[in-house]
Amino acid sequence: MCGIVGAVSERDVQGILLEGLRRLEYRGYDSAGMAVINGQHLVQRAREVGKVAALADAIEANPLAGHLGIAHTRWATHGEPSQVNAHPHMSGERLAIVHNGIIENYQELRDELRAEGFEFTSQTDTEVVAHLIEKYFREQGKLYEAVKAAIQRLRGAYALAVVHADEPDHLVVCREGSPLVVGVGIGENFIASDQLALLPVTDRFMFLEEGDIADIRKDNIRIHDRSGQPVERTITRFEHGADSADKGEYRHFMLKEIYEQPKVIKATMEGRITDSRVLEQALGTDAANLLDNVRHVQIIACGTSYHAGMVARYWIEELAGVPCSVEVASEFRYRKHVIQPDTLFLCISQSGETADTLAALRQAKQAGFRAALAICNVPGSSLVRESDLVIMTQAGPEIGVASTKAFTTQLTALLIFTLGLARHNGLSEEKEAGIVAAIHQLPKQVSDVLALDADIEEMSKAFMDKNHSLFLGRGSQFPVAMEGALKLKEISYIHAEAYPAGELKHGPLALVDSEMPVVTVAPNNDLVEKLKSNLEEVRARGGELFVFADKAADVKPEEGIHVMQLPSVHEITAPIVYTVPLQLLSYHVAVLKGTDVDQPRNLAKSVTVE
Ligand code: G6P
């Protein structure tokens, strides 16, 4: 989704802005642009459709030099991807603005401003904001006051960064519903929608809160909150090394992130479990109190995070004996729901900025859920700040649009949480110890699966020329099959559907033939015999099977049945281990097909608009 970078410095900012945009490329976008105030106090602007590289070429041909600038990657919402719709937008020749989010009342403002003589050159909602600020600037003569007045008129979600050639020594920024972070430098300061954009220039960040407006100068940062009070926002240091945003020896971020899983799963469990127990305090100082009377868990998430929630439902009901509902945020937020007493509201989000998930959380708080727990990967994100209890996954920055390490660390955190909850609901110490021991084995087991990479790469060749595929699982492996299908469709563009294997006869069997590879995850559990009967049904219709199975499950390879043996794993932790071969399979199919693995078409890493 759209990305923002801005800088005010002693040095020329063009290179800082370009590098910032490159680092935001992973979010998904379709055009890019930059505006700099030059030595003659004029706004110079460049905008290009396509990749940041195209913008870099345009700038190389016509350099933009100056000490103050803003830049943007746009993911089209209002108006097609085109040069005129790309940001920065201008009002006249002197004001430039970049915007993330959506202005809902833009049409009425557009009519009003047009009646006042402002001319529009794009179809975007952002241009309305540019003219609105310029209108107030003409009335009030100060950019800061003009931005303050303009945002009173806006409905919707936004992060804005504005510069004016009449005030060439500062940026004005604000946020409401879209993230914005200030990067603190020495004799220079920066802003961005994501701290990753600024890692080459600083590791110190201030996260703006909802309703904040800030004046950013090279040697001074002034922030006011929604009520107009001056406020200080804490400076935090970025904890992961700057090179977590580099691919290193790997060809793609996705592959690097798949390979990081043993390390980040370990980091996610560290400090939260002993040899045999979950450390409840590690879930938050108030955890014991909050978990004590939970009678229902409502999980809300989107995309891959939703699949993590679906796995957690099996755990929560089995181990804690607490009813659990799981729903995608975009559905939950638009329907009437019955709130059961003492419901814990649990949001799962890698980014902590997904618009639908945040909207659902805000609604839930108003509706009176017992407490809100967040499982999240980004410190300082909106979700983290707005929840009562937070369990941070320790995945480090995830750059590949297709989520991998975020998912397995979410599952690790969710399992630890489940054990904490289960203890309040009668789980025996012995059973807890057994599962904690299984959690300790995860890094090694995931490494063992990674060692099968070359075999999985070989297997991937069978998918290269296929248009459709089916993923089957039963029990807690059904959401694993869903996640496997999502990975394949996201990055290889092969249509992939997931089904609970028991549903085969109710429809999908009609599709099975030799052109429809069927992928199955088969750890050794109570359902494995039933699953094997389902595989027979597929085989009898000429379907080619690709089965990831526990040795003890005893699935025999034969004509049309390809079996890859996985290490023996505890039934409860199996969803985490069995996710990994499916990630590798999708990755290799996408590489063979030559798609853009890290930035698949039409998708964004962080969906901060509805
Ligand atoms: C986008 C990303 C997915 C992600 C989903 C939810 O669709 O491409 O990888 O799972 O958003 O994002 P979140 O940050 O809330 O987990």
Side-chain angles (χ1 to χ4, degrees), residues 302-305 348-352 354 357 401-403 410 490 604-605 607:
C302 301
T304 289
S305 299
I348 309 171
S349 173
Q350 187 284 125
S351 62
T354 300
T357 307
V401 165
S403 186
Q410 283 168 347
E490 279 179 315
K605 180 70 185 160
V607 181

Side-chain angles (χ1 to χ4, degrees), residues 73-135:
T73 46
R74 172 174 187 255
W75 194 75
T77 55
H78 295 69
E80 59 181 9
S82 66
Q83 195 178 36
V84 288
N85 286 334
H87 299 213
H89 285 283
M90 294 182 66
S91 182
E93 296 293 312
R94 305 191 62 75
L95 180 143
I97 181 171
V98 288
H99 162 222
N100 283 0
I102 286 181
I103 306 301
E104 283 170 1
N105 58 335
Y106 85 104
Q107 194 57 54
E108 65 189 66
L109 291 170
R110 194 177 168 107
D111 295 343
E112 173 189 320
L113 290 159
R114 198 179 262 146
E116 291 180 25
F118 285 97
E119 279 180 25
F120 285 80
T121 55
S122 79
Q123 300 150 312
T124 62
D125 50 344
T126 305
E127 196 182 4
V128 168
V129 188
H131 290 319
L132 194 64
I133 297 173
E134 175 65 18
K135 166 185 148 106

